[in-house]
Amino acid sequence: MADKKEKMKMLLTIASVAAISIFLTAHLFSRRRRKQRRSEIRCYLHCEPKSQLNFKRVLADNSYSPFNHFNRQSGSVKEKPLTLTHPYEAEITALMEDPQLQFSKIAVDDFDMKMGDSYVWVESELQLSQLARVLSEQTVFAVDTEQHSLRSFLGFTALIQISTEMEDYLVDVIALHDSMGILRPVFADPNICKVFHGADGDIVWLQRDFHIYVVNLFDTAKVCEVLSKPQKSLAYLLETYCGVAKNKLLQREDWRQRPLSDEMVQYARTDAHYLLYIANCLFAELKQQDCEYSSCPDDKFNFVLEASRRSNMICLQLYAKEIDGFPGESAAFSILSRQLNGQGAAAISGETKFQDLVRRLCAWRDLMARVHDESTRYILSDYAIVALSEKVPTTQVDIYGTIIQADLNIDSSNLSSSLPSPSPVVCSHWIDVHELIQDKLGNLDKLFPMVIQNCLGPNGSCPLSVFNYALLMNSSLKLETRLNTKQNGFKNPKHVAKKASRQLFIQKFSCKSPVYHNCRIYANDGRLLCYCDRRKLEWYLRRDLAKLVDDDPPAIMLLFEPKGRPEDEDNDFYIQSKKNICVGCGEGNHYLRYRVIPSCYRIHFPEHLKSHRSHDIVLLCVDCHEVAHAAAEKYKKQIAGEFGIPLYVRKVSHHYNCEQLPRLFCVMDLKCLPAAVMN
């Protein structure tokens, strides 16, 4: 009996050892097989050349290191300044007080309205040096840029258009990327005026790519604001002053391609070629306004000075990388905010399986975009991330199918619909996606070093470049910073980054002065007509159309009978005083304008409804604005489903009555506002 028990124990021991051996062998084989499969998959970048990979050096790489601006004292970027200030702040500030605008009068007969075929294509360093000499002899020249962002993480300038009164130049900055510093002194010369239209983006893009800082700017879009033009788009100015129509669809073309098509050359030349003439016309109007009001001793508003001030304020911007507390953090927050329909930060910060997978995929997408120098939308769309997180596919075929189906649901007018689905990045690294979905990578903190080593390590599958080299060199920096922060008990960098981002948003986009001045306008019989701002009040006073009847707050009485009164239109909107606070929560320190009716619908309204824009504008703080925007997106989808109105409306169908559309949209978007607005 004892022998039998001993034999049973021995058999059980042997069986256990065999089972453990089989399990370990299978596990090791599986790991070896995964490594083998990784090594067999070759990254698509090995056989797909990208134009930016020819750049020998870049000022803004894809690492998490902050951007280093040009140091004028040392003449290089290597020695960091003690404080982050604009290298040409003194010159720009001086121009805001004393504009240096020397426009020569260009007669219509002398200007080439038809824009001939002659232009100069600049593609060599010698030609670039010659262009710099030509520009240094000008008092003013016009500039525009074309960017490429789809196949690049940070984006890059692909073409610069420069026009003088005599010639148009198209600068191939892809071929001359490493030599563009030749133009730096010309753009920074305060004695030469540079004409842009809507320069907010161009200013920081030139800093990012070439350390070119614009000093002495005349922005025609800002001039339109000063002159109270009905529109400030370049298309409007081209049509109004030059009779030229512009095809804006060409802006989406791939400006990396060489040679450019005839249509692209024509489009690129149009902006800068006509901009000088338009700037001359607008400058003449500014001077005319100053002459008209110079006789009024109490009128201290100087139109030329204000146009210069607003333009050069743009020049003071400094480029900065957007760096999250953790890879893909802001993208994940945005996706979850939309999915949870503005339920608040508490709901978003939850750790459901869906939310965790969204964060994982966003982190992986961010890292892959940096490694391959691709935009995140090219790698994996937000729609695909949501679909993968909801369906949790388990096979390669299912992963591909889920991504393809999600991308097919994107509106056809969206650029993403023309992208390969799944992207080459996903196809080259689908095993990563599979392991992320199956939660085989463990803690999210392990994702960063794992991806970097798999892609860029000694046996990595992806090629090194000037864009991702610093990412490899500093691969441990981000993880160590995150771990040290946790161990030392400091605030979660996720929350710190969000707070900093919120403060930056408030500083940049909140209203800089009171929106409502609550000035009053009375009819000649003493009845209140409306509340308005000071500028409207001063307009009547300057033309002797009214007299001042009160100082605090200012009030005027018209000296003529107005065409209509509020009671005639059954509308008391304009005879109500308004507070400069958020209508949702009462916040008074910061607020933004919020349009109740989305602009994608408003553009199709009859003209008489579009003219009274203030009817549907309320003030919301940043937090209430975020909630309202999330709810608006939800109701847009609901309207699209119930009434068959697409989210991207291009033309109002004839079977909708245009007079009924505003009521429909107003009902839709009033639901999006915080409850306090409705009360």
Side-chain angles (χ1 to χ4, degrees):
M1 188 70 179
D3 292 341
K4 192 173 183 181
K5 286 184 178 181
E6 287 296 327
K7 288 181 180 180
M8 288 295 293
K9 286 182 181 180
M10 189 177 296
L11 288 172
L12 287 172
T13 302
I14 294 171
S16 300
V17 171
I20 294 172
S21 300
I22 292 171
F23 174 78
L24 291 174
T25 302
H27 181 67
L28 290 171
F29 178 79
S30 178
R31 287 184 60 184
R32 195 172 297 169
R33 180 59 181 162
R34 283 202 301 270
K35 287 183 178 180
Q36 185 180 354
R37 282 191 295 176
R38 285 184 189 277
S39 62
E40 289 173 355
I41 299 175
R42 186 174 173 82
C43 181
Y44 71 101
L45 287 179
H46 288 289
C47 55
E48 182 183 339
K50 297 173 70 175
S51 55
Q52 64 264 41
L53 295 182
N54 293 321
F55 300 163
K56 294 180 180 178
R57 62 185 293 266
V58 292
L59 300 172
D61 58 41
N62 297 342
S63 71
Y64 295 93
S65 304
F67 181 78
N68 294 325
H69 281 273
F70 184 69
N71 189 332
R72 288 180 70 185
Q73 295 178 346
S74 65
S76 69
V77 68
K78 294 180 180 179
E79 296 183 25
K80 299 180 183 178
L82 296 176
T83 57
L84 183 60
T85 58
H86 197 290
Y88 297 92
E89 182 176 352
E91 290 87 342
I92 295 171
T93 305
L95 287 167
M96 293 168 67
E97 301 297 331
D98 182 21
Q100 300 295 316
L101 304 174
Q102 301 179 36
F103 288 96
S104 59
K105 294 182 180 179
I106 302 177
V108 177
D109 295 337
D110 298 334
F111 186 72
D112 182 13
M113 284 292 184
K114 292 186 177 181
M115 193 171 69
D117 297 330
S118 174
Y119 69 95
V120 178
W121 178 262
V122 180
E123 59 182 350
S124 70
E125 192 170 326
L126 176 61
Q127 288 177 302
L128 190 64
S129 299
Q130 292 172 344
L131 173 60
R133 285 195 292 272
V134 170
L135 296 179
S136 66
E137 298 171 356
Q138 307 296 313
T139 57
V140 59
F141 59 84
V143 187
D144 188 35
T145 70
E146 301 300 337
Q147 303 291 316
H148 181 79
S149 60
L150 179 61
R151 301 298 306 277
S152 170
F153 182 70
L154 294 175
F156 62 89
T157 307
L159 187 73
I160 294 181
Q161 306 95 280
I162 299 177
S163 288
T164 66
E165 291 185 17
M166 303 299 295
E167 193 67 79
D168 297 335
Y169 300 88
L170 299 183
V171 183
D172 183 358
V173 294
I174 293 179
L176 294 169
H177 181 275
D178 301 318
S179 305
M180 288 301 296
I182 293 173
L183 295 182
R184 189 178 302 135
V186 177
F187 276 83
D189 190 336
N191 297 311
I192 305 175
C193 177
K194 297 87 189 175
V195 180
F196 285 75
H197 181 88
D200 301 77
D202 299 296
I203 294 297
V204 292
W205 292 331
L206 290 172
Q207 295 175 13
R208 174 197 66 193
D209 294 339
F210 317 116
H211 272 169
I212 288 178
Y213 296 84
V214 178
V215 179
N216 193 355
L217 171 66
F218 188 80
D219 190 325
T220 50
K222 294 299 180 184
V223 179
C224 287
E225 293 178 2
V226 175
L227 292 172
S228 300
K229 294 289 184 183
Q231 298 180 42
K232 61 177 184 178
S233 68
L234 183 56
Y236 164 77
L237 294 176
L238 286 168
E239 180 68 33
T240 303
Y241 291 96
C242 307
V244 174
K246 188 179 180 184
N247 182 7
K248 291 296 290 182
L249 293 177
L250 286 170
Q251 190 174 31
R252 290 186 172 186
E253 290 293 315
D254 186 353
W255 290 96
R256 299 173 303 164
Q257 73 177 56
R258 297 292 185 269
L260 299 177
S261 67
D262 292 340
E263 293 79 9
M264 293 173 73
V265 169
Q266 182 81 359
Y267 173 90
R269 289 183 60 202
T270 297
D271 288 358
H273 177 84
Y274 292 101
L275 205 50
L276 272 184
Y277 177 76
I278 292 171
N280 272 273
C281 296
L282 293 175
F283 182 67
E285 292 180 31
L286 289 171
K287 294 186 70 174
Q288 182 181 355
Q289 293 285 348
D290 282 335
C291 290
E292 286 184 10
Y293 301 130
S294 60
S295 58
C296 302
D298 297 331
D299 188 7
K300 298 181 180 180
F301 189 83
N302 185 301
F303 284 84
V304 172
L305 184 62
E306 180 63 15
S308 177
R309 186 189 69 81
R310 295 191 188 187
S311 295
N312 283 293
M313 277 290 291
I314 302 173
C315 294
L316 288 174
Q317 294 181 103
L318 283 173
Y319 173 75
K321 292 182 183 178
E322 296 181 6
I323 301 176
D324 292 338
F326 197 74
E329 182 180 53
S330 59
F333 186 87
S334 176
I335 292 173
L336 293 174
S337 297
R338 294 196 300 268
Q339 288 300 115
L340 297 174
N341 295 320
Q343 294 177 19
I348 297 170
S349 62
E351 291 299 332
T352 65
K353 186 174 181 180
F354 170 78
Q355 292 168 319
D356 179 62
L357 193 46
V358 166
R359 293 190 180 95
R360 288 170 176 272
L361 289 170
C362 284
W364 176 84
R365 181 179 67 172
D366 180 87
L367 289 169
M368 283 297 176
R370 294 174 185 273
V371 168
H372 297 84
D373 194 37
E374 303 281 10
S375 65
T376 54
R377 72 180 187 275
Y378 177 81
I379 291 176
L380 194 64
S381 68
D382 288 354
Y383 296 89
I385 286 179
V386 171
L388 290 170
S389 302
E390 288 177 341
K391 297 182 179 179
V392 194
T394 57
T395 66
Q396 180 182 7
V397 173
D398 289 342
I399 290 172
Y400 286 6
T402 302
I403 294 172
I404 293 170
Q405 187 58 48
D407 290 340
L408 286 175
N409 293 333
I410 300 177
D411 189 270
S412 59
S413 66
N414 193 306
L415 177 64
S416 301
S417 61
S418 62
L419 302 181
S421 181
S423 69
V425 181
V426 172
C427 294
S428 297
H429 302 275
W430 74 268
I431 297 176
D432 288 346
V433 180
H434 179 265
E435 292 185 347
L436 274 174
I437 294 174
Q438 298 302 314
D439 197 13
K440 292 182 179 180
L441 297 180
N443 195 305
L444 192 58
D445 285 329
K446 298 179 181 178
L447 178 66
F448 184 83
M450 184 274 293
V451 169
I452 297 300
Q453 288 303 313
N454 286 344
C455 294
L456 304 176
N459 299 315
S461 59
C462 307
L464 280 170
S465 71
V466 291
F467 294 96
N468 61 29
Y469 181 75
L471 194 66
L472 175 63
M473 293 297 98
N474 301 324
S475 60
S476 60
L477 176 63
K478 193 147 187 79
L479 181 61
E480 288 175 0
T481 302
R482 185 175 173 86
L483 293 176
N484 289 337
T485 303
K486 287 182 178 180
Q487 293 169 359
N488 294 332
F490 296 133
K491 292 182 180 179
N492 190 327
K494 187 185 297 184
H495 299 151
V496 173
K498 183 183 175 185
K499 183 177 180 181
S501 177
R502 181 178 181 274
Q503 291 300 323
L504 182 62
F505 185 88
I506 291 173
Q507 180 183 351
K508 188 171 183 179
F509 295 107
S510 63
C511 299
K512 303 300 185 293
S513 60
V515 175
Y516 304 122
H517 297 164
N518 288 320
C519 301
R520 293 157 292 161
I521 298 181
Y522 293 96
N524 50 15
D525 60 0
R527 300 186 68 174
L528 180 63
L529 292 177
C530 67
Y531 284 86
C532 66
D533 59 17
R534 288 179 181 271
R535 194 171 176 183
K536 188 172 184 178
L537 223 64
E538 292 166 356
W539 187 89
Y540 284 106
L541 291 173
R542 281 197 297 264
R543 288 164 173 76
D544 296 325
L545 298 174
K547 62 180 180 180
L548 190 68
V549 296
D550 201 351
D551 292 322
D552 189 22
I556 61 172
M557 179 177 289
L558 299 182
L559 301 179
F560 62 93
E561 177 60 31
K563 291 183 179 179
R565 297 181 180 233
E567 58 267 23
D568 298 336
E569 301 176 6
D570 192 24
N571 183 3
D572 60 354
F573 176 81
Y574 283 112
I575 56 175
Q576 298 175 358
S577 63
K578 302 173 184 65
K579 295 182 179 180
N580 289 291
I581 60 174
C582 170
V583 297
C585 66
E587 170 68 57
N589 293 324
H590 63 85
Y591 41 79
L592 302 86
R593 292 178 177 87
Y594 179 82
R595 297 192 179 278
V596 177
I597 302 174
S599 58
C600 63
Y601 298 140
R602 169 179 284 282
I603 59 175
H604 303 288
F605 279 12
E607 195 60 39
H608 71 279
L609 290 175
K610 286 195 287 188
S611 62
H612 294 87
R613 291 181 176 272
S614 61
H615 276 163
D616 71 323
I617 294 179
V618 295
L619 300 184
L620 294 178
C621 69
V622 169
D623 300 312
C624 291
H625 193 285
E626 184 178 350
V627 173
H629 178 72
E633 293 301 309
K634 173 184 175 182
Y635 282 109
K636 281 182 187 178
K637 294 178 181 178
Q638 182 176 324
I639 290 294
E642 291 184 9
F643 298 95
I645 301 175
L647 293 178
Y648 300 91
V649 182
R650 292 190 176 182
K651 182 177 181 181
V652 177
S653 178
H654 293 299
H655 67 264
Y656 285 107
N657 187 329
C658 286
E659 297 294 336
Q660 295 175 346
L661 283 175
R663 295 187 192 135
L664 171 66
F665 299 141
C666 194
V667 169
M668 176 276 291
D669 232 41
L670 283 176
K671 296 178 183 178
C672 308
L673 297 176
V677 181
M678 304 303 297
N679 297 331

